[in-house]
Amino acid sequence: MSSEDYELSDEDYYDEDDMMDTQDDDGASAISEDMDTMDDFKISTKPVRKSYEIDSESLSQVAVEDLMNKDVEHICGIFGVPVDTASLLLRHMLWNKELLIEKYMDQPTAMLCAAGVAAPEPSSPEPSRSHSAASGSTTRRSTRSASKLLGLGKSKASSPISPVSSTASKLIPPKSGGPESFVCPICFDDTPDVPTLALVCDHQYCVNCWNAYISSKLRDEAEHAIRCMAEGCALVAPDEFVRSALKTAAVVDPTLNEDTDKLLSRFQELLVRQFVGANRKLKYCPYPGCTNTVSCPSAATKSSLNMVVPTVSCGARGIGTSMTSSQVLERESLGLQAKEHTFCFGCPIESDHRPVVCNVAKMWLKKCHDDSETANWIKTNTKECSQCQSTIEKNGGCNHMTCKKCKYEFCWVCMGPWSEHGTAWYSCNRFDEKAGVDARDAQSKSRASLERYLHYYNRWANHEQSAKLSLDLYSKTEKKMEEMQITSSLTWIEVQFMKKAVEEVDKCRRTLKWTYAMAYYLAKGNEKELFEDNQSNLEQAVEELSELLESPIEADIIPTLRQKVTDKTVYVQKRNDIVLEDTANGFLDGRWKWNTPVDGFDDPENMEN
Amino acid sequence: MDARLRRVNKEIADCKNDKTSNIRIELIDESPFHLKGSFPGPQGTPYEGGNFEVDIVIPESYPFQPVKMKFITKVYHPNVSSASGAICLDILKDAWSPVLTLKSTLISLQSLLCSPEPNDPQDAEVAKHYTTSKSSFEETAVYWTQIYAGGPGAKKSKESASASVARDEVAMAGLDHAHVRRFVGLGFEQGKVIDVLRRLNYRGKNIHNIPDDKVVEELLKP
């Protein structure tokens, strides 16, 4: 992965500077040197996937739509129904084709009713009351399954429609001044010539109400299944109806135009989201404003998430609207590309929590967020005044305590009133009582557990903090790179090693951070010791590289510094690979044992029996 | 004119003109989007004779989103919170349809009073009471109707109300006086006894399932 990055960036440099085209003698030598420099960063050029990486494919919204359409067409072909019907059926069955085919073959009418394509037979008495002329044909048609997609204005209600026609999705406003003037039952608008729409159930409403209804569903409820507005009517509007209803409303009221475009794309997005949500092999990119989907079949099952850490990337970069323009500018000024949309396919917690698997990472974050450890600290380090219950921390001095608040005098050891100690100053005669010993045992136990947690937490938090400061480090490094170009004969390309090093440090710190979460839960044993050896090797290397990056630059040491940094970068990269690879293999082999029960792993207590 | 305003005005006017349904909708303040509805308790139910008031808030996206309704009048009913008046009814949530009106929704509330759904309760304690002993539940519901909704016999009870506040509370909680007296006799405060017995659903057949020790244990909890 990383080696490929370097290769790519090599080409970028040539492209940008057009060096290949302007070869003179000096240029040629510069190139060969550059090649060497960049070769330093390569560990291996093998395209083999490392065991901590996972196969995934990024799909754009259009590509996902293609997948959807394929499924829909498949169903169309089997059932001989129009596209919109097939789409509604599939959505109703959450895109489970096999189940749909089975059920549809069994009871087609029931399936169509359940999916809201056709109205159940005995229902829809309303049209027969209000539009007696049209009612006969309406009910007959709707029972004959998916024949008609939607009804139009009253004028067209009686036109015959062939069973497999999908052309019925055109919307025609009724001819002006029908037999009786139409009053929309929702907004009570009786303006003549207001276009009305209805689904096959023939519940007519004005186009403005449809528009308001659909936009409220799409926007406020994120609901893609738009039911007929009539009470108890279970028909769902086909896609084509939704789109033309929105478009017709925009024709009637041109001020809606912009809004309509937004709604149409929102509708499409909701459809895609439902499809992606129903498919375990797909996941929607969680970055705000991003519409890409990642396909990762190898992380589709729950059990696979205990074997691999599916860190994937959707291919897009940058964050839509959530990043303020100043942040974007800041990053751009540093010559940084916007961050890649990297996320974990298995869980929503953090973009990249390698090498720890999702469940353990989740447990660790929960522990960190819980204030249980605060409570633990209070328990360990404080006692309550037995009179006023204030929490007191003893930070030195003798055992004769006087409560600041209520002036109660007591013995810190036995918590009894000081007056009872009489003349036995500083030696509490109840000191060795069993209760006292137990209490101290419990206290020291809880103290030890707190210390253990804090050990891991502090290191975890430290790396997290460093990662946050990486932007600062980038800008500092950028300055140094400029400085180097001035003070030495190095070119811009040649000082790139600094940036590479910073990027590598950033990446390794993320790995290191999560190794502490992992180590906290690992059961004692050789495996853990090996893990911690790898961890400490990486950490040491990263710290050394960081130090080199921070060191002051003097013209005469630049060549050696460059050599050192380049060497260290490669070394750090290797160490990081080792940690990630070894941990990933460990998960595949089932080598890691935990000191506490983890979802999906064998319970450590049962293992021993 | 704003479609929402036009619709609400028409609904209020329609309701005024309709004398047969006995459903009334009034303004609370100047805004036509915050209303008070009221309807009589349905006949042949414990709520008969009472007048039930409902707070109505009309949301921005009405009628495409459901109205917000809750009882102002206290109601003893499994699907109505006895504390807040919140209502559990499908058409106020996902089964809402834009063709439903304030009037039809209030009628639905009225019929909710006729046919409680204890399996989908809003108030779990009331629902338990309902399933344990329907007759005892109905007594309490009648009592609440008298006290809060001005039901029949309200005048009678008002006269004696101040004289026997304690008795009121026992009946309000739908408990038996004898049971309450027994535990009060053990030296517990009456309010606490009522509270505990109500929580334990100390009613009807359920009494045999609750040993006295359990009640005392609950009573002793701080």
Side-chain angles (χ1 to χ4, degrees):
Chain A
M1 174 82 187
S2 45
S3 62
E4 283 155 21
D5 274 358
Y6 289 124
E7 282 180 305
L8 276 179
S9 40
D10 269 355
E11 278 159 24
D12 283 349
Y13 302 150
Y14 295 130
D15 288 347
E16 281 171 40
D17 293 30
D18 263 347
M19 289 179 82
M20 290 303 234
D21 301 332
T22 58
Q23 275 187 19
D24 54 13
D25 286 354
D26 290 347
S29 67
I31 289 170
S32 61
E33 210 184 304
D34 285 338
M35 298 277 278
D36 292 340
T37 319
M38 294 311 156
D39 275 342
D40 289 348
F41 289 107
K42 288 177 191 163
I43 323 171
S44 67
T45 44
K46 280 179 285 173
V48 194
R49 185 169 63 85
K50 298 196 181 87
S51 59
Y52 60 83
E53 284 167 359
I54 191 151
D55 268 333
S56 69
E57 192 192 347
S58 173
L59 305 167
S60 66
Q61 180 158 336
V62 179
V64 179
E65 279 166 22
D66 283 347
L67 286 179
M68 286 169 69
N69 290 340
K70 244 180 238 164
D71 277 5
V72 170
E73 273 161 31
H74 184 205
I75 293 299
C76 286
I78 295 178
F79 296 169
V81 293
V83 172
D84 277 349
T85 308
S87 168
L88 284 181
L89 285 171
L90 276 167
R91 266 186 258 155
H92 175 66
M93 293 307 289
L94 295 174
W95 298 90
N96 187 336
K97 270 197 283 185
E98 288 72 30
L99 196 60
L100 169 64
I101 293 170
E102 194 180 300
K103 285 203 168 175
Y104 186 84
M105 292 308 178
D106 210 23
Q107 287 179 306
T109 323
M111 219 34 233
L112 288 169
C113 293
V117 180
E121 231 165 308
S123 83
S124 67
E126 274 155 80
S128 57
R129 240 186 279 137
S130 49
H131 309 279
S132 49
S135 71
S137 58
T138 312
T139 34
R140 230 185 305 125
R141 229 179 293 122
S142 53
T143 52
R144 209 197 297 147
S145 76
S147 54
K148 193 185 165 200
L149 280 177
L150 57 121
L152 312 164
K154 292 174 234 167
S155 53
K156 221 191 166 181
S158 53
S159 64
I161 287 163
S162 65
V164 201
S165 94
S166 57
T167 54
S169 45
K170 261 194 336 195
L171 285 153
I172 303 174
K175 309 252 152 53
S176 58
E180 74 266 43
S181 66
F182 176 80
V183 179
C184 174
I186 289 170
C187 61
F188 300 123
D189 194 347
D190 53 1
T191 326
D193 297 346
V194 165
T196 65
L197 302 170
L199 295 172
V200 277
C201 52
D202 209 23
H203 297 131
Q204 305 252 356
Y205 304 104
C206 79
V207 80
N208 293 331
C209 283
W210 273 111
N211 183 58
Y213 176 65
I214 293 171
S215 59
S216 137
K217 283 277 176 197
L218 294 181
R219 222 174 254 148
D220 306 342
E221 294 176 41
E223 178 62 71
H224 55 85
I226 314 282
R227 284 167 172 276
C228 170
M229 287 195 274
E231 192 199 353
C233 182
L235 280 186
V236 177
D239 303 359
E240 209 39 56
F241 180 90
V242 175
R243 295 202 186 95
S244 21
L246 292 174
K247 282 178 200 153
T248 315
V251 171
V252 174
D253 181 358
T255 55
L256 289 172
N257 248 331
E258 198 180 319
D259 214 36
T260 304
D261 289 343
K262 272 190 209 147
L263 283 171
L264 287 172
S265 66
R266 168 97 172 144
F267 181 54
Q268 197 58 29
E269 192 184 317
L270 288 174
L271 293 181
V272 169
R273 272 179 190 266
Q274 199 235 359
F275 177 76
V276 170
N279 192 331
R280 293 199 66 111
K281 290 175 194 152
L282 300 178
K283 196 166 171 177
Y284 215 73
C285 175
Y287 281 73
C290 184
T291 55
N292 285 346
T293 298
V294 169
S295 155
C296 183
S298 40
T301 61
K302 236 183 176 172
S303 57
S304 69
L305 290 180
N306 290 322
M307 314 275 280
V308 289
V309 186
T311 304
V312 297
S313 156
C314 85
R317 282 172 183 275
I319 295 172
T321 45
S322 75
M323 206 186 221
T324 61
S325 53
S326 66
Q327 271 176 303
V328 173
L329 280 178
E330 192 185 350
R331 290 193 75 99
E332 274 174 3
S333 69
L334 296 179
L336 281 178
Q337 257 188 304
K339 266 212 166 133
E340 209 175 4
H341 290 183
T342 306
F343 59 96
C344 175
F345 194 85
C347 67
I349 49 169
E350 202 175 294
S351 57
D352 182 0
H353 56 74
R354 281 179 299 190
V356 196
V357 289
C358 301
N359 278 335
V360 177
K362 245 181 256 171
M363 268 168 66
W364 171 254
L365 283 187
K366 186 164 183 291
K367 189 169 180 67
C368 295
H369 291 162
D370 267 7
D371 56 359
S372 64
E373 292 303 336
T374 312
N376 211 344
W377 188 90
I378 291 173
K379 211 166 103 194
T380 314
N381 296 291
T382 70
K383 288 180 178 181
E384 274 159 18
C385 166
S386 37
Q387 188 162 292
C388 71
Q389 314 305 322
S390 315
T391 306
I392 299 167
E393 180 192 4
K394 179 169 145 71
N395 56 3
C398 71
N399 286 329
H400 180 180
M401 305 293 286
T402 306
C403 175
K404 271 251 181 197
K405 201 169 157 204
C406 65
K407 308 289 176 227
Y408 174 66
E409 289 178 57
F410 63 96
C411 166
W412 181 253
V413 179
C414 69
M415 297 307 286
W418 190 255
S419 54
E420 282 176 20
H421 286 64
T423 51
W425 299 94
Y426 301 107
S427 78
C428 172
N429 57 349
R430 281 183 260 176
F431 188 81
D432 279 322
E433 268 176 33
K434 189 159 180 326
V437 175
D438 286 352
R440 270 181 302 131
D441 275 359
Q443 200 173 349
S444 66
K445 228 184 205 169
S446 125
R447 183 170 297 159
S449 122
L450 177 70
E451 259 168 33
R452 189 177 117 76
Y453 166 74
L454 285 178
H455 170 90
Y456 290 102
Y457 180 75
N458 284 337
R459 281 154 186 80
W460 190 80
N462 179 34
H463 284 300
E464 183 165 69
Q465 186 59 25
S466 307
K468 276 186 192 146
L469 295 174
S470 69
L471 211 60
D472 278 355
L473 190 58
Y474 271 122
S475 61
K476 260 194 251 164
T477 311
E478 188 83 0
K479 274 198 201 105
K480 273 192 186 168
M481 284 159 68
E482 280 164 19
E483 210 178 299
M484 267 190 210
Q485 287 176 64
I486 297 166
T487 55
S488 76
S489 59
L490 293 176
T491 61
W492 182 78
I493 296 170
E494 285 166 304
V495 296
Q496 287 301 307
F497 72 91
M498 288 292 274
K499 207 173 123 192
K500 294 288 168 213
V502 173
E503 274 168 15
E504 203 53 44
V505 166
D506 189 26
K507 206 154 99 191
C508 293
R509 284 206 188 277
R510 205 161 47 215
T511 310
L512 277 173
K513 180 175 101 173
W514 284 105
T515 57
Y516 281 107
M518 172 122 176
Y520 180 77
Y521 287 112
L522 273 182
K524 263 187 209 148
N526 287 340
E527 303 293 354
K528 183 176 184 180
E529 271 176 36
L530 280 175
F531 178 81
E532 285 183 328
D533 285 347
N534 278 331
Q535 179 190 35
S536 91
N537 282 335
L538 174 61
E539 185 156 50
Q540 206 184 337
V542 168
E543 293 309 334
E544 280 169 15
L545 180 57
S546 293
E547 210 178 311
L548 279 179
L549 290 174
E550 303 272 349
S551 63
I553 298 205
E554 277 150 46
D556 47 333
I557 62 149
I558 285 178
T560 40
L561 181 71
R562 182 181 170 207
Q563 193 54 46
K564 271 192 196 160
V565 169
T566 313
D567 288 350
K568 249 316 176 261
T569 310
V570 175
Y571 179 64
V572 161
Q573 209 174 322
K574 267 188 189 156
R575 295 266 31 136
N576 192 27
D577 262 7
I578 290 171
V579 169
L580 290 176
E581 194 129 24
D582 179 64
T583 323
N585 286 332
F587 280 115
L588 290 173
D589 308 343
R591 195 180 346 135
W592 306 119
K593 301 279 174 283
W594 310 106
N595 54 22
T596 173
V598 178
D599 272 357
F601 287 88
D602 298 320
D603 194 331
E605 314 241 322
N606 297 338
M607 294 281 291
E608 281 154 27
N609 299 336
Chain B
M1 189 164 62
D2 176 22
R4 176 171 77 132
L5 187 61
R6 178 174 59 212
R7 159 133 176 181
V8 171
N9 283 341
K10 178 142 189 338
E11 283 193 40
I12 296 172
D14 277 359
C15 215
K16 272 211 179 99
N17 297 335
D18 181 8
K19 299 279 186 262
T20 53
S21 67
N22 280 324
I23 300 227
R24 298 200 318 179
I25 298 176
E26 311 155 29
L27 293 173
I28 286 183
D29 44 37
E30 248 89 284
S31 162
F33 303 124
H34 187 194
L35 306 166
K36 188 168 84 178
S38 61
F39 58 83
Q43 289 186 350
T45 69
Y47 311 99
E48 182 174 353
N51 183 46
F52 294 90
E53 295 189 334
V54 179
D55 180 76
I56 304 172
V57 175
I58 293 169
E60 200 65 46
S61 46
Y62 183 82
F64 304 104
Q65 294 288 318
V67 275
K68 295 190 172 72
M69 287 195 179
K70 66 172 194 201
F71 275 105
I72 299 170
T73 314
K74 274 175 159 280
V75 187
Y76 200 73
H77 188 283
N79 306 106
V80 180
S81 164
S82 55
S84 67
I87 305 162
C88 180
L89 183 61
D90 57 352
I91 61 160
L92 290 177
K93 287 172 216 145
D94 26 296
W96 170 258
S97 147
V99 290
L100 290 171
T101 60
L102 298 177
K103 192 172 90 182
S104 66
T105 311
L106 287 171
I107 291 173
S108 299
L109 286 185
Q110 203 175 18
S111 65
L112 179 70
L113 293 188
C114 302
S115 47
E117 282 284 350
N119 296 325
D120 180 20
Q122 170 76 33
D123 193 310
E125 280 176 17
V126 179
K128 262 191 246 162
H129 190 186
Y130 181 90
T131 43
T132 317
S133 163
K134 195 158 176 223
S135 61
S136 159
F137 162 83
E138 278 176 353
E139 273 174 37
T140 312
V142 168
Y143 193 71
W144 279 48
T145 309
Q146 280 176 20
I147 299 281
Y148 295 117
K155 275 179 196 150
K156 247 195 300 167
S157 69
K158 247 180 206 161
E159 282 159 21
S160 57
S162 52
S164 56
V165 178
R167 203 197 66 129
D168 283 359
E169 280 175 22
V170 175
M172 292 281 274
L175 295 167
D176 195 318
H177 292 279
H179 299 143
V180 176
R181 243 179 274 129
R182 187 152 61 86
F183 288 104
V184 171
L186 294 175
F188 294 103
E189 243 178 82
Q190 165 145 331
K192 183 140 194 180
V193 171
I194 292 174
D195 195 43
V196 166
L197 291 183
R198 199 189 62 221
R199 257 192 292 126
L200 293 173
N201 193 20
Y202 202 81
R203 292 151 184 148
K205 285 180 203 144
N206 210 22
I207 290 170
H208 307 299
N209 302 332
I210 308 171
D212 283 6
D213 291 358
K214 169 95 179 143
V215 179
V216 173
E217 191 187 303
E218 285 292 318
L219 282 166
L220 284 171
K221 274 188 194 162

